[in-house]
Amino acid sequence: MALKRYGSIPSPRSQQPLQYTGEDTSTAILMTAINRFKENVFSNSIVPWKFHPRSSSFEPDASETHESIDMIVINQDQDLKLHEEKGGKLSEESYSMNVGNGKVEISIRNPVGGIRALDTLAQLFLKHSDPNAGVYTNLAPVRIRDVPAFEHRGLNLDISRNYIAPKHVMRTIDAMSFTKLNRLHLHATDAQSWPLEIPAFPELARKGAYGDSMIWSVADLADVQTYGKEHGIEVYLEIDMPGHTASIAHAFPHLITAYNEPSWTTYALEPPSGQLKLNSSVVTEFLETLLFDLLPRTSPFTSYFHTGGDELNTAAYALDPTVRSASTHVIKPLLQSFIDRIHSIARSHSLTPIVWEEMLLEWDLTLPSDTIIQTWRSPKNLARVLQQGHRALFGDNHHWYLDCGYGSWLDPLSHPSTNDDDPSTSRTSSQTSPPFTDYCDPYKNWRHIYAYDPLKEIPTSQQHLILGGEIHLWGELSDEINLDYKLWPRVAAAAEVMWSGPGRRVDESVTRRLAEWRERLVERGVGAEMVQMQWCLMNEGGCGL
């Protein structure tokens, strides 16, 4: 079936406009999606020569007449119940699609389902090597009924340890949409820098960012969240606290304890050390002002706010004049009060709090049932969270950490300490001497990521508490230059696990499907890593073992 460049899919302003039945407020989102679809099909489709033997004939005869698509019809129906076919929850992203008889008919519950359907439709079409032959699909007629396995399918992207400009995040959103991901978790601030403009505290980013040109303005954040919404992706922020906050000290040193201590390994897992003081009314006032500035601006785009809570260092509080103790018995009630206050502010803006697993599993805080727990250390910890009745996100560092396997970023000391009491000597020797591995070595390749099954040891009775998961790229050795390479196509492997469900076998069909998707992404200007050697793709079955 052919899809010609002109006339086959009518433009919004043509004599025969896109037919759509649904809420008027949804029209803009769908019209943006249909225009994006046309661009992807007509300008970014691929000639699939890499997937066929040399000199083989794999294209339709351009001289013959083929059936073409003249119309796309999208119907919004709130009673669409495709979830029953997968035994899952009702999803606003579900869709059905029939391609044939000269048209495409799409049924959706929500406009975001239309975005997902159009992204699928774009992947059905290939470019003909004859530039006058347009594009075609060899898969029509076809009927597709699609429902996601998990509600929350995300990428956690660190934009603070190394600066990543909004335009590069938008390019990432483009690729995320093409994989049907629906959450972008921006780890927006950390000990190393504070790139986020807060008008109530203009000096926070002016002094806390790496430089004046490396600040996300209010408009930047709104643009990225709006762009995400247009692509069916909810962009939400993490302001990690009370740990990972040393960058605040550049503007407000009186709020931070144990800032940039020379013996940093005593007070942090990575430099610079520094945490928000835990029993200070001044810190409370600062956070209230910050959050009442930030959250009203982000809440129109998201239902989440991530407050961090990982890797809290107790030794730092022995230096905190408002605490003066490293005892967990002293720190816990202060931490409980701290978390209660910031979560109450989040809820006052209709935002659901998310925390890292330590707040529940290490500190045993009392967290309301609506609090979402993000697990990262092990499958066992996911099970522990679920046993306590909390909703959870999966994506542990043994499977879905994209920064692993690139080597240590720690420099060996020129004159290492010989003091047995110096905690810097406790660093594993492999990080500061050959082979200079990192903390989560080895590298997680796409097959390892695809094989991850977060449900493997979870009782069926608790699986309903799993909202979904996120794959993570921490930023110690990631920036704008290597961003694409580190994300893709590995994120796409995780995206298929979260959309189609885990427990699927890694075989050649997966390799070829992901390799074709990678070619489409490269055609769109994304520098994705290789999936498979070209000879293997051209000789199906030739690289099995």
Side-chain angles (χ1 to χ4, degrees), residues 316-338:
Y317 289 117
L319 303 184
D320 181 351
T322 72
V323 180
R324 297 187 183 280
S325 176
S327 168
T328 57
H329 297 292
V330 173
I331 294 171
K332 179 180 175 179
L334 300 176
L335 182 61
Q336 180 74 64
S337 178
F338 180 97

mmCIF file of all heavy atoms in Angstrom, residues 316-338:
data_model
loop_
_atom_site.group_PDB
_atom_site.id
_atom_site.type_symbol
_atom_site.label_atom_id
_atom_site.label_comp_id
_atom_site.label_asym_id
_atom_site.label_seq_id
_atom_site.Cartn_x
_atom_site.Cartn_y
_atom_site.Cartn_z
ATOM 1 N N ALA A 316 27.173 14.276 58.573
ATOM 2 C CA ALA A 316 27.045 15.711 58.305
ATOM 3 C C ALA A 316 26.259 16.419 59.404
ATOM 4 O O ALA A 316 26.503 17.602 59.690
ATOM 5 C CB ALA A 316 26.374 15.924 56.953
ATOM 6 N N TYR A 317 25.349 15.696 60.037
ATOM 7 C CA TYR A 317 24.518 16.341 61.049
ATOM 8 C C TYR A 317 25.214 16.469 62.391
ATOM 9 O O TYR A 317 24.750 17.210 63.261
ATOM 10 C CB TYR A 317 23.168 15.634 61.148
ATOM 11 C CG TYR A 317 22.342 15.933 59.912
ATOM 12 C CD1 TYR A 317 21.961 14.929 59.039
ATOM 13 C CD2 TYR A 317 22.015 17.240 59.601
ATOM 14 C CE1 TYR A 317 21.248 15.220 57.888
ATOM 15 C CE2 TYR A 317 21.304 17.546 58.455
ATOM 16 C CZ TYR A 317 20.929 16.540 57.604
ATOM 17 O OH TYR A 317 20.237 16.834 56.460
ATOM 18 N N ALA A 318 26.337 15.804 62.551
ATOM 19 C CA ALA A 318 27.158 16.065 63.734
ATOM 20 C C ALA A 318 27.777 17.460 63.655
ATOM 21 O O ALA A 318 28.110 18.065 64.688
ATOM 22 C CB ALA A 318 28.252 15.010 63.859
ATOM 23 N N LEU A 319 27.909 17.994 62.430
ATOM 24 C CA LEU A 319 28.428 19.345 62.229
ATOM 25 C C LEU A 319 27.326 20.392 62.137
ATOM 26 O O LEU A 319 27.616 21.592 62.064
ATOM 27 C CB LEU A 319 29.270 19.392 60.951
ATOM 28 C CG LEU A 319 30.456 18.423 60.842
ATOM 29 C CD1 LEU A 319 31.223 18.695 59.555
ATOM 30 C CD2 LEU A 319 31.363 18.526 62.049
ATOM 31 N N ASP A 320 26.083 19.949 62.111
ATOM 32 C CA ASP A 320 24.938 20.862 61.998
ATOM 33 C C ASP A 320 24.623 21.441 63.374
ATOM 34 O O ASP A 320 24.241 20.704 64.290
ATOM 35 C CB ASP A 320 23.740 20.075 61.454
ATOM 36 C CG ASP A 320 22.483 20.924 61.270
ATOM 37 O OD1 ASP A 320 22.466 22.081 61.714
ATOM 38 O OD2 ASP A 320 21.510 20.398 60.695
ATOM 39 N N PRO A 321 24.772 22.740 63.566
ATOM 40 C CA PRO A 321 24.519 23.313 64.894
ATOM 41 C C PRO A 321 23.074 23.182 65.349
ATOM 42 O O PRO A 321 22.797 23.321 66.547
ATOM 43 C CB PRO A 321 24.915 24.791 64.718
ATOM 44 C CG PRO A 321 24.817 25.044 63.248
ATOM 45 C CD PRO A 321 25.195 23.756 62.590
ATOM 46 N N THR A 322 22.163 22.894 64.418
ATOM 47 C CA THR A 322 20.762 22.701 64.818
ATOM 48 C C THR A 322 20.466 21.252 65.200
ATOM 49 O O THR A 322 19.367 20.955 65.663
ATOM 50 C CB THR A 322 19.812 23.117 63.679
ATOM 51 O OG1 THR A 322 19.868 22.148 62.618
ATOM 52 C CG2 THR A 322 20.164 24.485 63.146
ATOM 53 N N VAL A 323 21.452 20.354 65.006
ATOM 54 C CA VAL A 323 21.263 18.933 65.331
ATOM 55 C C VAL A 323 22.340 18.438 66.283
ATOM 56 O O VAL A 323 22.053 17.849 67.321
ATOM 57 C CB VAL A 323 21.257 18.068 64.049
ATOM 58 C CG1 VAL A 323 21.062 16.580 64.390
ATOM 59 C CG2 VAL A 323 20.158 18.523 63.095
ATOM 60 N N ARG A 324 23.610 18.590 65.891
ATOM 61 C CA ARG A 324 24.778 18.209 66.682
ATOM 62 C C ARG A 324 24.774 16.724 67.064
ATOM 63 O O ARG A 324 25.118 16.338 68.174
ATOM 64 C CB ARG A 324 24.888 19.056 67.955
ATOM 65 C CG ARG A 324 25.101 20.538 67.693
ATOM 66 C CD ARG A 324 25.374 21.315 68.972
ATOM 67 N NE ARG A 324 25.497 22.728 68.737
ATOM 68 C CZ ARG A 324 26.587 23.340 68.267
ATOM 69 N NH1 ARG A 324 27.654 22.610 67.988
ATOM 70 N NH2 ARG A 324 26.610 24.643 68.071
ATOM 71 N N SER A 325 24.362 15.891 66.099
ATOM 72 C CA SER A 325 24.359 14.453 66.358
ATOM 73 C C SER A 325 24.339 13.694 65.050
ATOM 74 O O SER A 325 23.704 14.119 64.078
ATOM 75 C CB SER A 325 23.141 14.058 67.192
ATOM 76 O OG SER A 325 23.086 12.651 67.369
ATOM 77 N N ALA A 326 25.053 12.561 65.047
ATOM 78 C CA ALA A 326 25.010 11.654 63.898
ATOM 79 C C ALA A 326 24.104 10.454 64.185
ATOM 80 O O ALA A 326 24.037 9.519 63.378
ATOM 81 C CB ALA A 326 26.409 11.175 63.548
ATOM 82 N N SER A 327 23.425 10.484 65.306
ATOM 83 C CA SER A 327 22.567 9.370 65.712
ATOM 84 C C SER A 327 21.277 9.346 64.898
ATOM 85 O O SER A 327 20.584 10.366 64.781
ATOM 86 C CB SER A 327 22.224 9.476 67.200
ATOM 87 O OG SER A 327 21.195 8.570 67.542
ATOM 88 N N THR A 328 20.959 8.187 64.365
ATOM 89 C CA THR A 328 19.707 8.066 63.619
ATOM 90 C C THR A 328 18.491 8.282 64.519
ATOM 91 O O THR A 328 17.447 8.727 64.034
ATOM 92 C CB THR A 328 19.612 6.684 62.949
ATOM 93 O OG1 THR A 328 19.727 5.661 63.959
ATOM 94 C CG2 THR A 328 20.718 6.499 61.915
ATOM 95 N N HIS A 329 18.630 7.994 65.802
ATOM 96 C CA HIS A 329 17.512 8.203 66.726
ATOM 97 C C HIS A 329 17.209 9.685 66.888
ATOM 98 O O HIS A 329 16.047 10.069 67.094
ATOM 99 C CB HIS A 329 17.831 7.576 68.085
ATOM 100 C CG HIS A 329 18.005 6.092 68.038
ATOM 101 N ND1 HIS A 329 16.964 5.221 67.772
ATOM 102 C CD2 HIS A 329 19.115 5.315 68.194
ATOM 103 C CE1 HIS A 329 17.414 3.975 67.778
ATOM 104 N NE2 HIS A 329 18.714 4.005 68.030
ATOM 105 N N VAL A 330 18.236 10.504 66.802
ATOM 106 C CA VAL A 330 18.046 11.952 66.882
ATOM 107 C C VAL A 330 17.562 12.502 65.545
ATOM 108 O O VAL A 330 16.670 13.360 65.482
ATOM 109 C CB VAL A 330 19.357 12.649 67.303
ATOM 110 C CG1 VAL A 330 19.216 14.167 67.228
ATOM 111 C CG2 VAL A 330 19.773 12.210 68.696
ATOM 112 N N ILE A 331 18.138 11.995 64.456
ATOM 113 C CA ILE A 331 17.856 12.541 63.134
ATOM 114 C C ILE A 331 16.468 12.157 62.632
ATOM 115 O O ILE A 331 15.774 12.976 62.001
ATOM 116 C CB ILE A 331 18.933 12.057 62.138
ATOM 117 C CG1 ILE A 331 20.295 12.650 62.514
ATOM 118 C CG2 ILE A 331 18.565 12.428 60.704
ATOM 119 C CD1 ILE A 331 21.459 12.068 61.730
ATOM 120 N N LYS A 332 16.015 10.936 62.916
ATOM 121 C CA LYS A 332 14.764 10.455 62.331
ATOM 122 C C LYS A 332 13.565 11.361 62.593
ATOM 123 O O LYS A 332 12.838 11.709 61.635
ATOM 124 C CB LYS A 332 14.473 9.025 62.797
ATOM 125 C CG LYS A 332 13.158 8.476 62.230
ATOM 126 C CD LYS A 332 12.870 7.061 62.703
ATOM 127 C CE LYS A 332 11.497 6.618 62.211
ATOM 128 N NZ LYS A 332 11.168 5.233 62.622
ATOM 129 N N PRO A 333 13.265 11.778 63.828
ATOM 130 C CA PRO A 333 12.088 12.642 64.015
ATOM 131 C C PRO A 333 12.225 13.990 63.313
ATOM 132 O O PRO A 333 11.219 14.558 62.858
ATOM 133 C CB PRO A 333 12.001 12.799 65.535
ATOM 134 C CG PRO A 333 13.328 12.411 66.065
ATOM 135 C CD PRO A 333 13.884 11.413 65.109
ATOM 136 N N LEU A 334 13.454 14.498 63.214
ATOM 137 C CA LEU A 334 13.662 15.758 62.497
ATOM 138 C C LEU A 334 13.433 15.568 61.002
ATOM 139 O O LEU A 334 12.836 16.427 60.340
ATOM 140 C CB LEU A 334 15.082 16.270 62.756
ATOM 141 C CG LEU A 334 15.446 16.563 64.212
ATOM 142 C CD1 LEU A 334 16.916 16.957 64.317
ATOM 143 C CD2 LEU A 334 14.552 17.658 64.773
ATOM 144 N N LEU A 335 13.891 14.431 60.486
ATOM 145 C CA LEU A 335 13.679 14.116 59.077
ATOM 146 C C LEU A 335 12.193 13.915 58.787
ATOM 147 O O LEU A 335 11.688 14.360 57.747
ATOM 148 C CB LEU A 335 14.474 12.866 58.705
ATOM 149 C CG LEU A 335 14.404 12.398 57.247
ATOM 150 C CD1 LEU A 335 14.936 13.476 56.304
ATOM 151 C CD2 LEU A 335 15.185 11.088 57.067
ATOM 152 N N GLN A 336 11.496 13.275 59.691
ATOM 153 C CA GLN A 336 10.050 13.072 59.517
ATOM 154 C C GLN A 336 9.332 14.418 59.405
ATOM 155 O O GLN A 336 8.489 14.625 58.526
ATOM 156 C CB GLN A 336 9.483 12.284 60.699
ATOM 157 C CG GLN A 336 7.986 12.015 60.616
ATOM 158 C CD GLN A 336 7.640 10.941 59.606
ATOM 159 O OE1 GLN A 336 8.022 9.793 59.750
ATOM 160 N NE2 GLN A 336 6.900 11.313 58.566
ATOM 161 N N SER A 337 9.689 15.343 60.286
ATOM 162 C CA SER A 337 9.074 16.667 60.257
ATOM 163 C C SER A 337 9.417 17.398 58.963
ATOM 164 O O SER A 337 8.559 18.071 58.358
ATOM 165 C CB SER A 337 9.550 17.481 61.464
ATOM 166 O OG SER A 337 9.013 18.774 61.445
ATOM 167 N N PHE A 338 10.657 17.273 58.520
ATOM 168 C CA PHE A 338 11.120 17.906 57.289
ATOM 169 C C PHE A 338 10.302 17.401 56.095
ATOM 170 O O PHE A 338 9.777 18.189 55.295
ATOM 171 C CB PHE A 338 12.606 17.595 57.108
ATOM 172 C CG PHE A 338 13.249 18.180 55.884
ATOM 173 C CD1 PHE A 338 13.952 19.363 55.958
ATOM 174 C CD2 PHE A 338 13.172 17.531 54.652
ATOM 175 C CE1 PHE A 338 14.558 19.905 54.833
ATOM 176 C CE2 PHE A 338 13.771 18.065 53.532
ATOM 177 C CZ PHE A 338 14.466 19.252 53.617
#
